[in-house]
Structure formats: C-alpha cells, structure tokens
Amino acid sequence: MAKDKKEDKKLEAKETDNNKVTKNSYSAEDIYVLEGLEPVRKRPGMYIGSTGVDGLHHLIWEVVDNSIDEAMAGFAKNVTVELLPGNKVSVTDDGRGIPVETHKQTKKSALETVMTTLHAGGKFGGESYKVSGGLHGVGVSVVNALSEWLKAEVCREGALYSQEYERGEPKGKVKKVGVCKQTGTKVTFSPDPKIFLTLEFNPKKIAEHLRQQTYLTKGVRVNFLDRREKVPQLHGFYFDGGLKSFVNHLIRNEKSLQEEIFYVSKDQEGMNVEVAFTFIDDMEVKELSFANNIYTPDGGMHLTGFRSALTRSLNAHARGESYLKEKDENLTSDDVREGLVVVVSVKLREPQFEGQTKARLGNPEARTAVEAVVNESLKEFLEKRPAEARRIIEKVLLAAKARKAAKAARDTVLRKGVLDGLTLPGKLSDCSSRKPEESELFLVEGDSAGGSAKSGRDRRTQAILPLKGKILNVEKTRLDKMLSNQEIRSLVMAIGTAIAEEFDISKIRYHKVIIMTDADVDGAHIRTLLLTLFYRYFKEVVSSGYLYIAQPPLYRVQSGKEVRYAYSDQEKEKIVAEIQKNKAMKSTKKETKDDKEEDGQATGEASLEVQGGGVKGVGIQRYKGLGEMNPEQLWETTMNPENRTLRQVEIDDAEEADRLFDILMGDEVQPRRKFIELHALSVKNLDV
Ligand code: 0RA
C-alpha cells in the first residue's frame, strides 16, 4: 500500500538535492525523477495494497486524489468520475492541467514524466497541501503501470494534448490533438487483467468513497456517472457545509441532542484543522479522523488533540457554570465522549502515517494544533450558546453517573461469580470434546429446532444451545441489566469467555459459534439481535473468526431416489432444469436399453408434493423453518461439516454494521420501519 522506508529515504534525498527552495510558481524542473515502473508491476501489492477488489478500486482513488489535490489547491471546482463499458474508468477535472512542456532532466514532456516515473510529482506553491507521501499518493504513474491501457488528456493554454500508454509504456509522444477553451486533466484507464484478480468495479463503493472525499474538500463538486448501463446512473456530490454535512450524514438515523452542530475550520501552525461534532442519545462513540483526506482508522495525534480539548473544555465549562461542585470529580474522557459523533480532519505538509497498516497519524504538531483550535472555539461555542451547552453538560453528567452506577452493579455481578463458567447452563447440550479447536456451538432458534439439532448432531464435537424467542435487545441496555437476562447469561456461560473487563478470548470453549435460525424474517431478526450482542460485547469472537451463520436450505428437490437441496431460488431452478435434462436423456437411453429399474424409481415421485403441475415428476418441498426438517435432514443439510456451508461473520465494514444495528435496535422508529419495508424480502441483507 505504502512505499517502503528505503524508498522514502530516497525520495527525501532527491528532494533536498533538487529542490532546496520552495518556489511559488511551478515549472517543469520541479518534478523529481526517480525510477521506472518495473517494480510496480513486479510487486503491485506494495503500492496498492492488493490485487483484489480493494487494489482495483485503489487505482480510482489514486487518480481522484490528484484531482482533489488540484481542488484543494483552489484550482479545480469539478471532478467527474465515469465508469465506462469494458472495465474502463475516467477521471476528469477542471484544474490547471498537468504541465506538458519539456522537462529539463528527462528531456521529455512533464506529462510523460509524471505518468511514467515512480514518485514523480509536482510541488505546488506555498499554500497547497500535497497528499503524496500518504497511504494514497503513490502517484498516478502506479495507475499507469497497472493499466493495460491509459490515456491522459490535458487542456492547457488553449490546446488539447494527449498521450496514450500500454502497461506504463508511452505509445508515442505527447501530441497536440485539438483546441480547448478551458483547462483541465482527464485520465482514462483500463486495469490490467494480467495484474488484477477481478476487474469488476463496485459503483456503491465508489459512490461512498467520493461522497466522503467531497465532505472533506469544501467547495468541490464531484460527479459520478455509471455509464455501463443503458440509462446512465448519476450521483452528484456537493456539500456546502464540509464536515458539518458529514456529521449530519452520519447521524441521519438519529436525533441530535444539539440544535447546532459544533464546527470549526482554522489554519494553525501551518496546517488546516477542521472539526465537526454533535451528541446523540446513544452510548457509543463514533470518531472519524482524516489526515490529508486519508482516513486514519486508528486515529492518532489529531484525534488525541481533539479528545483532550473536549474533556478540558467541558470540565472547565461545567465548573464555571457550577454544574460541577467543588467536591465533584472531573468528568473523564469516556464520560464526555458517550454519544459523541465527531469528524476531525487535518491537512498538513508532511503527514507521518504510523503503525503496521499506516492507519494512525504520528505528527505531534497535529495534536497541539487541533487541541488549540478546539479549545478556543469550543469555549466560545459553549459561552455563546448556553442552552446548547446545558444539553451537552447534562448529557455527560448523566453518562458519568450511569457509568459509576453500572460499574458498581457490574462489579457485584462479576464478584458473585455468575460467570465463573463452572455452572454451565442447564439448557446446553454440550459436546464431549474439550478441545475448542474442534468444538462447535450451535445457537438454535426455538426449542423444537433445538430438539432436532440435538438428536441430529455429532455429540463429540457439536454442542446445542436453544434460545427462546427474541433474546433481549442489547442496543441500549447496560451490562448489568443484560446479565440479569437468563438467555444471555446462558449464552455467555456457554461460550466461556466471560464479558466486559473479565472477557478473555483464550477461554473460549468453541472455535465455531454458529447462529442457526429460520430462513424467514423472524429468523433474520433474531440473527441480527445475536449479531448485535456479539458486535457490542464479544467483538473479539467475531474478529478472531469464530462466529458463523448456518445456511439451511430453502428447498428440498426430489426426483426418484435422488434428493437434492437448494439454498436459493436460483439454485432450485437450476437443479430442476438439470433433473429434467437428465430425464430427457435417460428416456432416450431407455428406448434403446429398456432399463426397468430406472422406471421403477420414477414411481417414487408420486408420494411427493408436485409443485403447481409446472415441473412434472419433480417433487419440491419448501422449508419454512428449521423445525420442518427431521434430525437427519438437519444434520445432512446444515450441520454436517462434510456438506454444509457456513458463512463466517466478518466486521470488515464495522461502521455499516453499526449503522444497521442502530437502525434495527435504536429509538428512532421511522428509519427502522423504512429499513424493514425495504429489506423484508431480501432477508440476506440482515446479515452484517
Ligand atoms: C503540477 C503542476 C500543475 C498542475 C498539476 C500538477 C496537476 C496535476 C493533476 C493531476 C490530475 N489533475 C491535475 N491537475 C493539475 C500546474 C502548474 C501550473 O500551471 O502552474
């Protein structure tokens, strides 16, 4: 994803050699020449992370970054991304256009140099912030190297210039091919099928990325056009409010406690600091942070700076206005962040991304800058809006109080040893094996399905825990209340890890915890409740890959002695078609061979329900619930490791999961109703 350290050093060295002074105007000389593109094609993963679907999309992010840079520098106003037929993508902006004049060092056009040399990039004048050097910013040449074909078009000084490349090699020189009234750059490329495992772009993913980038770059308009369909799909993004709009988007299914979102954008110590936040009625914290428009999932100095300022300002205000008395303890950072939704974005000259995945901003100056900006403007915000301030302070005081009460209750619960694991729940039919690696726990909806599972299972390795009806809605429930719920206590004890401070993944009793529910809306609801529980309280069980969803069949299709199971409508159709084809072939054979036995098999079909008369001689049974299967069928289709399909639950998009849980479990009724109406038919969407 990012270039390695050695290359970083090389880049620095060249920069000091060639560019001792930062100039205010750009010329072709300012492009540093480093190396060719062979290393990129040899080890694409080093530059774009992977050659899978993420790496493929990385190509787009890379080209878009360059255009967004041009917008951040104040020269471009519009960026358009188009998905074209034949796995092509184009990115167009109305910036200054990549320079085309001849570069002194290489004797080539600057455009060609930018497109064909690794790390070649331009230095803009003083006030812009180049993204290069970050997680993205490996340069458009990387995209060129990994494209089987690429065309760069530049409008500058009244002319249209163009150059094409194949796998990074120029096909001829930069040519003047027309005239232009405006200026700008257009890059069109098709990713190399020799490099990528998939060429399938995901429009949803692209739209989401562009939406995010638009929030982060105030004043830019980003259009996204999917032109692969007959009727092109257009998404236009433009957010006047910048991060304020971002926060509004994040809380779209929630009620804000504040009338007005806190917002500040200020230049400080040579960097731009932008912060927006509000509080919602929730216990979770949602913090998103960015450095130079690059998402920093692990936070870093900018986020730390924000947190200190928030805690400090709220304590100061609470004391000043006597919400906190002299004897009262200060509010903690955890207290003041409950229900917080914040986006912090900094733009700085030389971002340092740290950690294994370069997911954390390391620059200490980002901490002081954000802290100073937020301290100052939050003080003013609270003083100017006493009503807003009161709502916030009351919320955090309540959080502090609840936290203390919950801790006391939790300590009592934990001390009582309810979760010691010595007392396995009576409802659990445990397996005989004591090796977690081979043990499986089935969480089964309802007692009757639980019974079938119990008699159908492999007793040695498979344990069954039937769960009654809807387990407790855990979204807004404190741990102490949750643990007073019998179903949840059984579950926690069966799993063996305990919970909260006592949680210990190494104590897990099963390496497969399998949610097995009916394939209907109720089943989906229970599954979502369980997923919520795991997501909120047993995240490590999920991230360790121990949580699964069983996939019971939807249909049983029988023809003669042959029984097959279908897990979707399409699969059912396919199976029926296959059977009929086979039958047609067999009946031709029969004419010659007169195979009586096969004839005999066919009579067995009479006992089966024949669907609508449309599918002659094929019996189709639709399963509405697990309870309709006898133990053998349940074993054969859903539990037997030899035949079954399990879906491993991943939290690859934790934010999306979180949002879904909030919609389904939260206080707001409208979005939940909308969601259920929308997805009632496609139950699959409930699987996070
Ligand atoms: C360096 C210098 C100048 C423009 C650009 C880079 C530039 C790069 C890209 C990449 C995509 N869109 C872009 N737009 C502009 C212009 C310097 C000048 O004209 O003074």
Side-chain angles (χ1 to χ4, degrees), residues 354-367:
E354 296 181 346
Q356 270 284 276
T357 51
K358 307 261 175 216
R360 189 176 67 235
L361 183 68
N363 304 57
E365 70 274 21
R367 185 174 63 79

Side-chain angles (χ1 to χ4, degrees), residues 39 64 113 178 207 259 288 311 358 409 611 641 649 656 678:
V64 169
T113 309
E259 229 132 72
L288 297 180
T311 311
K358 307 261 175 216
Q611 230 194 23
V649 178
E656 184 68 15
L678 205 66

Side-chain angles (χ1 to χ4, degrees), residues 554-560 562 572 576 579 602-624 628 633:
L554 290 177
Y555 298 99
R556 178 177 191 267
V557 185
Q558 181 163 16
S559 159
E562 191 194 356
K572 178 199 71 181
V576 170
I579 290 176
T603 54
E605 291 159 10
S607 63
L608 279 164
E609 167 197 347
V610 175
Q611 230 194 23
V615 195
K616 246 185 100 211
V618 182
I620 300 173
Q621 185 190 351
R622 193 195 153 98
Y623 291 121
K624 287 176 206 79
E628 287 176 24
Q633 288 172 332

Side-chain angles (χ1 to χ4, degrees), residues 505-679:
I505 190 78
S506 72
K507 295 223 176 85
I508 197 161
R509 301 180 62 243
Y510 312 91
H511 279 190
K512 286 198 174 71
V513 176
I514 303 164
I515 301 173
M516 189 159 78
T517 55
D518 286 341
D520 60 7
V521 173
D522 271 354
H525 194 185
I526 293 169
R527 184 165 62 233
T528 309
L529 286 166
L530 282 168
L531 287 172
T532 307
L533 177 75
F534 279 95
Y535 176 73
R536 297 266 197 249
Y537 295 102
F538 302 97
K539 219 174 231 168
E540 239 186 294
V541 173
V542 186
S543 60
S544 306
Y546 295 155
L547 188 63
Y548 294 84
I549 295 172
Q551 309 277 286
L554 290 177
Y555 298 99
R556 178 177 191 267
V557 185
Q558 181 163 16
S559 159
K561 276 188 190 153
E562 191 194 356
V563 177
R564 292 173 64 182
Y565 297 93
Y567 295 81
S568 68
D569 285 311
Q570 294 99 300
E571 200 180 351
K572 178 199 71 181
E573 300 301 329
K574 214 177 116 203
I575 291 173
V576 170
E578 271 174 33
I579 290 176
Q580 286 179 331
K581 204 174 128 200
N582 284 346
K583 271 180 184 280
M585 273 163 57
K586 276 179 194 160
S587 66
T588 338
K589 260 198 246 159
K590 212 165 53 186
E591 275 165 22
T592 51
K593 273 193 172 175
D594 194 21
D595 189 338
K596 288 233 168 58
E597 244 181 64
E598 277 192 26
D599 212 25
Q601 279 176 20
T603 54
E605 291 159 10
S607 63
L608 279 164
E609 167 197 347
V610 175
Q611 230 194 23
V615 195
K616 246 185 100 211
V618 182
I620 300 173
Q621 185 190 351
R622 193 195 153 98
Y623 291 121
K624 287 176 206 79
L626 297 167
E628 287 176 24
M629 273 184 264
N630 63 36
E632 293 73 41
Q633 288 172 332
L634 193 58
W635 161 254
E636 193 183 338
T637 59
T638 316
M639 296 175 71
N640 181 357
E642 306 271 314
N643 313 329
R644 73 183 178 197
T645 336
L646 290 182
R647 270 209 15 224
Q648 194 169 39
V649 178
E650 290 173 33
I651 317 187
D652 71 330
D653 194 348
E655 201 204 322
E656 184 68 15
D658 195 38
R659 197 176 70 79
L660 179 55
F661 289 137
D662 282 345
I663 291 176
L664 285 169
M665 316 299 166
D667 288 338
E668 297 285 291
V669 177
Q670 264 320 102
R672 174 163 57 227
R673 176 174 308 154
K674 234 170 81 189
F675 181 89
I676 291 174
E677 279 167 8
L678 205 66
H679 295 289

Side-chain angles (χ1 to χ4, degrees), residues 25-27 31 63-70 75-76 93 95-99 101 114 121-124 130 140 156-157 184-187:
S25 72
Y26 169 89
S27 72
I31 289 167
V63 182
V64 169
D65 271 359
N66 288 299
S67 294
I68 297 263
D69 273 355
E70 187 68 359
F75 298 105
D93 69 60
R96 292 165 295 177
I98 300 178
E101 60 265 31
V114 166
K123 258 253 150 76
F124 297 124
K130 195 80 183 82
V140 69
R156 261 177 93 89
E157 292 147 14
T185 305
K186 178 175 186 175
V187 173

Side-chain angles (χ1 to χ4, degrees), residues 417-425 492-494 496-498 509:
V418 210
L419 299 173
D420 277 354
L422 297 168
T423 39
L424 284 171
V492 175
M493 285 188 276
T497 56
R509 301 180 62 243

Side-chain angles (χ1 to χ4, degrees), residues 296-312:
T296 42
D298 295 347
M301 290 300 164
H302 47 349
L303 192 58
T304 306
F306 168 76
R307 286 178 182 169
S308 326
L310 182 70
T311 311
R312 199 184 122 145

Side-chain angles (χ1 to χ4, degrees), residues 264-452:
V264 64
S265 171
K266 203 172 173 231
D267 287 326
Q268 177 94 9
E269 295 170 33
M271 77 184 76
N272 176 261
V273 174
E274 200 182 351
V275 175
F277 77 78
T278 191
F279 283 92
I280 57 169
D281 185 14
D282 197 285
M283 284 162 54
E284 298 294 310
V285 193
K286 194 174 279 172
E287 294 169 319
L288 297 180
S289 59
F290 298 82
N292 292 6
N293 284 15
I294 297 163
Y295 179 43
T296 42
D298 295 347
M301 290 300 164
H302 47 349
L303 192 58
T304 306
F306 168 76
R307 286 178 182 169
S308 326
L310 182 70
T311 311
R312 199 184 122 145
S313 305
L314 291 183
N315 269 309
H317 189 82
R319 293 243 175 245
E321 301 296 312
S322 303
Y323 290 103
L324 279 180
K325 304 282 176 299
E326 220 168 290
K327 61 174 174 34
D328 291 330
E329 281 171 35
N330 262 349
L331 299 159
T332 68
S333 172
D334 282 339
D335 294 332
V336 301
R337 290 185 308 135
E338 197 163 286
L340 175 73
V341 179
V342 61
V343 185
V344 177
S345 165
V346 293
K347 287 170 186 146
L348 68 173
R349 287 245 166 57
E350 281 170 43
Q352 242 97 57
F353 294 95
E354 296 181 346
Q356 270 284 276
T357 51
K358 307 261 175 216
R360 189 176 67 235
L361 183 68
N363 304 57
E365 70 274 21
R367 185 174 63 79
T368 44
V370 175
E371 196 170 343
V373 167
V374 174
N375 267 335
E376 188 193 313
S377 58
L378 183 52
K379 183 169 190 281
E380 199 185 306
F381 179 89
L382 295 169
E383 279 166 4
K384 273 199 183 146
R385 295 180 177 75
E388 215 78 294
R390 162 169 300 131
R391 273 195 290 268
I392 295 175
I393 300 284
E394 277 170 0
K395 155 95 183 162
V396 299
L397 286 174
L398 200 69
K401 214 168 133 191
R403 187 179 302 280
K404 281 180 197 137
K407 183 163 185 337
R410 163 157 61 202
D411 288 349
T412 329
V413 174
L414 295 175
R415 219 176 305 121
K416 274 190 204 147
V418 210
L419 299 173
D420 277 354
L422 297 168
T423 39
L424 284 171
K427 289 180 6 164
L428 175 76
S429 306
D430 210 0
C431 52
S432 58
S433 167
R434 285 288 163 266
K435 291 186 192 143
E437 306 79 53
E438 60 173 8
S439 301
E440 305 179 342
L441 173 66
F442 283 83
L443 305 174
V444 187
E445 168 187 1
D447 283 333
S448 94
S452 286

